[in-house]
Short mmCIF file of all heavy atoms in Angstrom, two decimals:
data_model
loop_
_atom_site.label_atom_id
_atom_site.label_comp_id
_atom_site.label_asym_id
_atom_site.label_seq_id
_atom_site.Cartn_x
_atom_site.Cartn_y
_atom_site.Cartn_z
N ALA A 1 -26.28 -192.28 14.26
CA ALA A 1 -25.40 -191.31 13.60
C ALA A 1 -24.94 -191.74 12.22
O ALA A 1 -24.59 -192.90 12.01
CB ALA A 1 -24.18 -191.06 14.46
N ARG A 2 -24.91 -190.76 11.30
CA ARG A 2 -24.19 -190.96 10.05
C ARG A 2 -22.71 -190.90 10.39
O ARG A 2 -22.30 -190.20 11.29
CB ARG A 2 -24.51 -189.87 9.06
CG ARG A 2 -25.91 -189.94 8.51
CD ARG A 2 -26.12 -188.86 7.47
NE ARG A 2 -27.44 -188.94 6.87
CZ ARG A 2 -27.86 -188.13 5.91
NH1 ARG A 2 -27.04 -187.20 5.43
NH2 ARG A 2 -29.07 -188.26 5.42
N ALA A 3 -21.92 -191.61 9.65
CA ALA A 3 -20.47 -191.61 9.91
C ALA A 3 -20.18 -191.97 11.36
O ALA A 3 -19.35 -191.32 12.02
CB ALA A 3 -19.85 -190.26 9.56
N PHE A 4 -20.86 -192.99 11.85
CA PHE A 4 -20.68 -193.42 13.24
C PHE A 4 -19.21 -193.67 13.55
O PHE A 4 -18.76 -193.42 14.66
CB PHE A 4 -21.50 -194.69 13.47
CG PHE A 4 -21.25 -195.35 14.79
CD1 PHE A 4 -21.76 -194.80 15.96
CD2 PHE A 4 -20.51 -196.52 14.89
CE1 PHE A 4 -21.53 -195.40 17.19
CE2 PHE A 4 -20.28 -197.13 16.10
CZ PHE A 4 -20.80 -196.58 17.25
N SER A 5 -18.47 -194.15 12.58
CA SER A 5 -17.08 -194.50 12.81
C SER A 5 -16.21 -193.29 13.10
O SER A 5 -15.05 -193.44 13.48
CB SER A 5 -16.51 -195.26 11.61
OG SER A 5 -16.59 -194.47 10.44
N SER A 6 -16.74 -192.09 12.95
CA SER A 6 -15.97 -190.89 13.26
C SER A 6 -16.20 -190.40 14.69
O SER A 6 -15.61 -189.39 15.09
CB SER A 6 -16.31 -189.78 12.27
OG SER A 6 -17.65 -189.35 12.44
N TYR A 7 -17.04 -191.08 15.44
CA TYR A 7 -17.38 -190.67 16.80
C TYR A 7 -16.59 -191.44 17.85
O TYR A 7 -16.48 -192.66 17.79
CB TYR A 7 -18.86 -190.87 17.07
CG TYR A 7 -19.75 -189.86 16.40
CD1 TYR A 7 -20.12 -190.01 15.08
CD2 TYR A 7 -20.21 -188.75 17.11
CE1 TYR A 7 -20.93 -189.07 14.45
CE2 TYR A 7 -21.03 -187.82 16.50
CZ TYR A 7 -21.38 -187.98 15.18
OH TYR A 7 -22.18 -187.05 14.57
N HIS A 8 -16.08 -190.69 18.83
CA HIS A 8 -15.62 -191.33 20.06
C HIS A 8 -16.86 -191.75 20.84
O HIS A 8 -17.87 -191.04 20.83
CB HIS A 8 -14.83 -190.34 20.94
CG HIS A 8 -13.72 -189.66 20.23
ND1 HIS A 8 -12.66 -190.34 19.67
CD2 HIS A 8 -13.48 -188.34 20.00
CE1 HIS A 8 -11.82 -189.47 19.14
NE2 HIS A 8 -12.29 -188.25 19.32
N MET A 9 -16.78 -192.85 21.55
CA MET A 9 -17.92 -193.33 22.32
C MET A 9 -17.51 -193.56 23.77
O MET A 9 -16.41 -194.05 24.04
CB MET A 9 -18.45 -194.63 21.71
CG MET A 9 -18.91 -194.50 20.26
SD MET A 9 -20.27 -193.34 20.05
CE MET A 9 -21.56 -194.14 21.00
N GLY A 10 -18.43 -193.24 24.66
CA GLY A 10 -18.13 -193.42 26.08
C GLY A 10 -19.31 -194.02 26.83
O GLY A 10 -20.45 -193.96 26.39
N TRP A 11 -18.99 -194.61 27.98
CA TRP A 11 -20.00 -195.08 28.93
C TRP A 11 -19.76 -194.35 30.25
O TRP A 11 -18.62 -194.28 30.73
CB TRP A 11 -19.90 -196.58 29.17
CG TRP A 11 -20.43 -197.43 28.05
CD1 TRP A 11 -19.71 -198.02 27.05
CD2 TRP A 11 -21.80 -197.80 27.82
NE1 TRP A 11 -20.54 -198.72 26.21
CE2 TRP A 11 -21.83 -198.62 26.67
CE3 TRP A 11 -23.01 -197.54 28.48
CZ2 TRP A 11 -23.00 -199.16 26.16
CZ3 TRP A 11 -24.18 -198.07 27.98
CH2 TRP A 11 -24.17 -198.87 26.81
N PHE A 12 -20.85 -193.85 30.81
CA PHE A 12 -20.83 -193.19 32.11
C PHE A 12 -21.91 -193.83 32.97
O PHE A 12 -22.79 -194.52 32.46
CB PHE A 12 -21.10 -191.69 31.96
CG PHE A 12 -19.97 -190.93 31.32
CD1 PHE A 12 -19.73 -191.02 29.95
CD2 PHE A 12 -19.13 -190.13 32.08
CE1 PHE A 12 -18.68 -190.34 29.36
CE2 PHE A 12 -18.08 -189.44 31.50
CZ PHE A 12 -17.86 -189.54 30.14
N ARG A 13 -21.86 -193.58 34.26
CA ARG A 13 -22.92 -194.09 35.14
C ARG A 13 -23.23 -193.07 36.22
O ARG A 13 -22.40 -192.24 36.58
CB ARG A 13 -22.52 -195.44 35.76
CG ARG A 13 -21.31 -195.38 36.70
CD ARG A 13 -20.89 -196.79 37.08
NE ARG A 13 -19.75 -196.78 38.00
CZ ARG A 13 -19.10 -197.88 38.37
NH1 ARG A 13 -19.48 -199.08 37.92
NH2 ARG A 13 -18.08 -197.78 39.20
N ARG A 14 -24.45 -193.19 36.73
CA ARG A 14 -24.87 -192.26 37.78
C ARG A 14 -25.64 -193.00 38.85
O ARG A 14 -26.56 -193.77 38.58
CB ARG A 14 -25.75 -191.16 37.20
CG ARG A 14 -26.12 -190.08 38.21
CD ARG A 14 -26.90 -188.96 37.54
NE ARG A 14 -28.18 -189.45 37.02
CZ ARG A 14 -29.28 -189.58 37.74
NH1 ARG A 14 -29.26 -189.28 39.03
NH2 ARG A 14 -30.40 -190.00 37.17
N VAL A 15 -25.22 -192.75 40.08
CA VAL A 15 -25.92 -193.25 41.26
C VAL A 15 -26.76 -192.10 41.80
O VAL A 15 -26.29 -190.96 41.81
CB VAL A 15 -24.91 -193.73 42.32
CG1 VAL A 15 -25.62 -194.13 43.60
CG2 VAL A 15 -24.08 -194.89 41.78
N PRO A 16 -27.99 -192.35 42.24
CA PRO A 16 -28.82 -191.26 42.77
C PRO A 16 -28.08 -190.46 43.83
O PRO A 16 -27.46 -191.02 44.73
CB PRO A 16 -30.03 -192.00 43.36
CG PRO A 16 -30.14 -193.23 42.53
CD PRO A 16 -28.73 -193.64 42.21
N GLY A 17 -28.14 -189.14 43.68
CA GLY A 17 -27.49 -188.27 44.65
C GLY A 17 -26.05 -187.96 44.34
O GLY A 17 -25.41 -187.17 45.05
N LYS A 18 -25.53 -188.57 43.27
CA LYS A 18 -24.13 -188.33 42.90
C LYS A 18 -24.07 -187.88 41.44
O LYS A 18 -25.00 -188.06 40.67
CB LYS A 18 -23.30 -189.60 43.09
CG LYS A 18 -23.23 -190.06 44.53
CD LYS A 18 -22.36 -191.30 44.67
CE LYS A 18 -20.90 -191.01 44.43
NZ LYS A 18 -20.04 -192.18 44.68
N GLU A 19 -22.92 -187.29 41.09
CA GLU A 19 -22.74 -186.85 39.72
C GLU A 19 -22.47 -188.04 38.79
O GLU A 19 -21.99 -189.09 39.25
CB GLU A 19 -21.56 -185.88 39.64
CG GLU A 19 -21.83 -184.53 40.30
CD GLU A 19 -20.74 -183.52 40.03
OE1 GLU A 19 -19.76 -183.88 39.36
OE2 GLU A 19 -20.87 -182.38 40.50
N ARG A 20 -22.72 -187.84 37.52
CA ARG A 20 -22.41 -188.84 36.53
C ARG A 20 -20.90 -189.05 36.50
O ARG A 20 -20.13 -188.09 36.52
CB ARG A 20 -22.92 -188.38 35.16
CG ARG A 20 -23.18 -189.46 34.18
CD ARG A 20 -23.90 -188.91 32.96
NE ARG A 20 -25.23 -188.41 33.28
CZ ARG A 20 -26.14 -188.12 32.36
NH1 ARG A 20 -25.85 -188.27 31.07
NH2 ARG A 20 -27.32 -187.66 32.71
N GLU A 21 -20.46 -190.32 36.45
CA GLU A 21 -19.03 -190.59 36.47
C GLU A 21 -18.62 -191.46 35.28
O GLU A 21 -19.40 -192.26 34.77
CB GLU A 21 -18.63 -191.30 37.77
CG GLU A 21 -19.26 -192.66 37.97
CD GLU A 21 -18.81 -193.31 39.28
OE1 GLU A 21 -18.37 -192.60 40.19
OE2 GLU A 21 -18.92 -194.55 39.36
N PHE A 22 -17.37 -191.27 34.91
CA PHE A 22 -16.81 -191.99 33.77
C PHE A 22 -16.62 -193.46 34.07
O PHE A 22 -16.21 -193.84 35.17
CB PHE A 22 -15.46 -191.36 33.41
CG PHE A 22 -14.68 -192.11 32.36
CD1 PHE A 22 -15.10 -192.10 31.04
CD2 PHE A 22 -13.54 -192.83 32.69
CE1 PHE A 22 -14.39 -192.78 30.07
CE2 PHE A 22 -12.82 -193.50 31.73
CZ PHE A 22 -13.24 -193.48 30.41
N VAL A 23 -16.93 -194.30 33.07
CA VAL A 23 -16.71 -195.74 33.19
C VAL A 23 -15.67 -196.21 32.17
O VAL A 23 -14.66 -196.80 32.53
CB VAL A 23 -18.02 -196.52 33.00
CG1 VAL A 23 -17.76 -198.03 33.03
CG2 VAL A 23 -19.04 -196.14 34.06
N ALA A 24 -15.96 -195.94 30.89
CA ALA A 24 -15.06 -196.42 29.84
C ALA A 24 -15.29 -195.61 28.57
O ALA A 24 -16.35 -195.01 28.40
CB ALA A 24 -15.30 -197.91 29.55
N ALA A 25 -14.30 -195.60 27.68
CA ALA A 25 -14.43 -194.92 26.40
C ALA A 25 -13.59 -195.63 25.35
O ALA A 25 -12.63 -196.35 25.68
CB ALA A 25 -13.99 -193.46 26.52
N ILE A 26 -13.98 -195.41 24.09
CA ILE A 26 -13.25 -196.00 22.98
C ILE A 26 -13.12 -194.93 21.89
O ILE A 26 -14.05 -194.17 21.63
CB ILE A 26 -13.97 -197.26 22.46
CG1 ILE A 26 -13.12 -197.98 21.41
CG2 ILE A 26 -15.36 -196.95 21.94
CD1 ILE A 26 -13.62 -199.40 21.12
N SER A 27 -11.94 -194.85 21.31
CA SER A 27 -11.69 -193.84 20.29
C SER A 27 -12.46 -194.15 19.02
O SER A 27 -12.98 -195.26 18.82
CB SER A 27 -10.19 -193.78 19.99
OG SER A 27 -9.75 -195.02 19.44
N TRP A 28 -12.53 -193.16 18.11
CA TRP A 28 -13.28 -193.33 16.87
C TRP A 28 -12.74 -194.51 16.06
O TRP A 28 -13.51 -195.22 15.40
CB TRP A 28 -13.23 -192.06 16.04
CG TRP A 28 -11.86 -191.69 15.58
CD1 TRP A 28 -10.94 -190.91 16.23
CD2 TRP A 28 -11.22 -192.10 14.36
NE1 TRP A 28 -9.78 -190.83 15.50
CE2 TRP A 28 -9.93 -191.54 14.35
CE3 TRP A 28 -11.63 -192.89 13.28
CZ2 TRP A 28 -9.05 -191.74 13.29
CZ3 TRP A 28 -10.76 -193.09 12.23
CH2 TRP A 28 -9.48 -192.52 12.25
N SER A 29 -11.45 -194.75 16.15
CA SER A 29 -10.85 -195.84 15.37
C SER A 29 -10.98 -197.19 16.05
O SER A 29 -10.75 -198.23 15.44
CB SER A 29 -9.38 -195.54 15.13
OG SER A 29 -8.67 -195.61 16.36
N GLY A 30 -11.32 -197.15 17.33
CA GLY A 30 -11.34 -198.39 18.10
C GLY A 30 -9.96 -198.81 18.58
O GLY A 30 -9.82 -199.80 19.29
N GLY A 31 -8.96 -198.03 18.23
CA GLY A 31 -7.60 -198.40 18.57
C GLY A 31 -7.18 -198.08 19.99
O GLY A 31 -6.18 -198.59 20.47
N SER A 32 -7.96 -197.22 20.65
CA SER A 32 -7.63 -196.84 22.03
C SER A 32 -8.86 -197.00 22.90
O SER A 32 -9.95 -196.62 22.51
CB SER A 32 -7.15 -195.39 22.09
OG SER A 32 -5.98 -195.21 21.34
#
């Protein structure tokens, strides 16, 4: 991405047979 620093970023995971679930996220600033 251009302007990567403006994007929130997240990690999710999926186990076969289940929905994708939230793991972790970080705000665009990295402050949260």
